[in-house]
Amino acid sequence: MEFLFTALTALLSVAVLFILAQIMGRKQISELNLYDYINGITIGSIAAELATELEKPLKPLIAMIVYASVSVLLSYISNKHARARKFISGAPVVIMSGGKIDREMMKKKKLDLSELLMLCRQQGYFNLDDIETAVYENNGRLSVLPKSQARPANPSDMHLTVDKATHPIEVITDGEIMSDHLSDLGLNEAWLIGQLKSDGYKVSDIFLAMCDQNKKLQIFLAKELTKK
């Protein structure tokens, strides 16, 4: 009976923490969703109690199991039901649209002007006139769509054709050739050694070498550890 009471108390605390976190807003839970934030601070506290509760360790243990179970259950429900996901994890809201600030939405999300300006600066926008749309995400961060005239120029704006971007992978690490990575690129050791030789290097000279699909090598020397 005593352990059942502990389990019920843990469930009650989950509900109370969830409600309090909703009331306080999402500023303090950046990078986490709501129930992960709740579990993170609570399970850590209970774990500390478990480590020191030598006479009745089952109580904090049961509470930890309840919290972990609730987290798994909420995660499952969120994945299966969109409406439940919106309630549990929250949903992004538009704070600025057409360059205008939605003050009512800011009040609803417990976001004051100083915090909004800070979030804009963190995204690199010191002038609100440069912002077309700003979305307050459910993890407490801000996503910004700049106005057309304020966004950085890209090759398509200048009608330029550029090579496809590729992801370089390691072909030498600590002076050792990664043959399988070379094979993934359609290359071989003979090609790599030839490239190094033409640049005046041996494999043993290389701390790290990376190559992309365009056969472009990036070389970091073993001694200086500086990029070639």
Side-chain angles (χ1 to χ4, degrees), residues 7 32-33 47 59 67 76-77 96 117 123 126 139 187 192 203 207 209 217 228:
L32 298 173
N33 61 41
K59 283 187 176 182
Y67 270 91
Y76 175 79
I77 293 173
M96 289 185 65
L117 293 174
Q123 296 300 314
F126 287 76
N139 64 356
L187 305 172
L192 178 59
V203 174
F207 172 65
L217 273 175
K228 173 181 174 291

Side-chain angles (χ1 to χ4, degrees), residues 177-180 182-183 187-195 203:
I177 295 177
M178 313 294 288
S179 300
D180 53 338
L182 279 170
S183 298
L187 305 172
N188 53 41
E189 292 188 20
W191 175 86
L192 178 59
I193 292 172
Q195 292 294 312
V203 174

Side-chain angles (χ1 to χ4, degrees), residues 8 10 13 26 28 64 71 90 146 152 156 159 192 205-206 220:
L8 292 175
S13 66
R26 300 174 183 274
Q28 72 275 29
M64 287 181 67
S71 178
S156 63
H159 307 289
L192 178 59
D205 295 331
I206 309 301
F220 298 82

Side-chain angles (χ1 to χ4, degrees), residues 104-138:
E104 292 301 317
M105 189 58 69
M106 286 181 61
K107 291 179 181 178
K108 183 178 179 181
K109 292 301 178 180
K110 312 295 188 298
L111 185 67
D112 64 41
L113 187 57
S114 295
E115 290 162 339
L116 175 62
L117 293 174
M118 177 192 69
L119 292 171
C120 290
R121 289 194 299 270
Q122 288 176 343
Q123 296 300 314
Y125 294 93
F126 287 76
N127 188 348
L128 296 187
D129 285 339
D130 293 338
I131 298 176
E132 176 67 28
T133 304
V135 179
Y136 190 53
E137 304 291 356
N138 56 4

Side-chain angles (χ1 to χ4, degrees), residues 13-34:
S13 66
V14 170
V16 172
L17 281 170
F18 184 87
I19 293 170
L20 290 176
Q22 290 279 19
I23 293 173
M24 291 185 296
R26 300 174 183 274
K27 293 174 289 186
Q28 72 275 29
I29 62 171
S30 182
E31 305 297 342
L32 298 173
N33 61 41
L34 192 57

Side-chain angles (χ1 to χ4, degrees), residues 35-58:
Y35 60 84
D36 284 340
Y37 168 74
I38 291 172
N39 279 333
I41 61 174
T42 308
I43 290 180
S45 176
I46 297 173
E49 184 179 350
L50 175 62
T52 57
E53 185 63 73
L54 302 180
E55 294 182 2
K56 295 182 179 180
L58 279 180

Side-chain angles (χ1 to χ4, degrees), residues 173-175 201 204-209 219-228:
T173 58
D174 287 323
Y201 298 127
S204 59
D205 295 331
I206 309 301
F207 172 65
L208 172 67
I219 297 174
F220 298 82
L221 301 179
K223 292 182 180 180
E224 297 84 359
L225 303 185
T226 56
K227 187 177 177 182
K228 173 181 174 291

